[in-house]
Amino acid sequence: MPYLKINTNKATDITAQTTFLKNASKKVAEILQKPEKFVMTQFDQPTPMTFGGTDEDLAYLEIKSIGLTNEQAAQLAKEIPSIVEKELEIDPSRVYIEFADAPRSFWGWNKGTF
C-alpha cells in the first residue's frame, strides 16, 4: 500500500533508476513498518521542471500510505533525500516531498479496499 513516485528533470539511465527504486522501496518499507511486497515505486523522467527559477537537477517525490504518521513523514523526509543524493546525484536542497495519509477505504487492491 505504500507508494513512492519520483519526478525529476535529470536524464537518468535505467540502471540508476532501478537502483534508486529498489533502495527507496526498502527504506520506505522499513520506516513505515510495512511488508516490502506491498510497496510500489515509480520513476518518471525526464520531465521539464524548475525550482527556484532554475532548471538545475531537481526531484519531486510523492509518498502515500495508509496510516502515515507525522513521525514517519519526518523520518522519510530525512532518509529518502539521502538516497536521491547518493543514487541520482541530486542535492537534497533541490528535492520536495509530498506526503499523504490515505484512508483504508480509499486504497484499492486485489478487487477490494484495505
Side-chain angles (χ1 to χ4, degrees):
M1 66 215 88
Y3 172 67
L4 178 140
K5 178 180 179 181
I6 179 169
N7 289 290
T8 182
N9 64 343
K10 182 175 183 175
T12 308
D13 68 49
I14 193 71
T15 301
Q17 291 177 37
T18 302
T19 300
F20 169 79
L21 291 174
K22 287 181 177 181
N23 289 335
S25 177
K26 285 182 180 124
K27 186 55 72 176
V28 167
E30 175 188 317
I31 291 171
L32 298 180
Q33 300 178 342
K34 307 252 179 163
E36 190 177 5
K37 71 180 184 175
F38 288 113
V39 178
M40 181 181 286
T41 59
Q42 179 181 345
F43 200 112
D44 286 344
Q45 67 83 34
T47 302
M49 301 171 77
T50 65
F51 184 5
T54 77
D55 64 354
E56 294 173 40
D57 295 345
L58 64 99
Y60 171 73
L61 291 83
E62 297 174 41
I63 300 177
K64 301 176 184 182
S65 184
I66 295 169
L68 182 66
T69 68
N70 292 341
E71 293 79 17
Q72 290 168 328
Q75 191 172 0
L76 288 163
K78 180 180 179 183
E79 300 283 339
I80 298 299
S82 296
I83 298 170
V84 172
E85 183 175 36
K86 180 182 177 189
E87 303 298 340
L88 306 177
E89 299 178 344
I90 297 174
D91 189 296
S93 70
R94 304 232 358 122
V95 176
Y96 272 163
I97 306 173
E98 176 186 1
F99 298 99
D101 175 21
R104 290 184 180 283
S105 61
F106 279 36
W107 202 277
W109 174 71
N110 200 18
K111 299 183 181 179
T113 61
F114 284 95

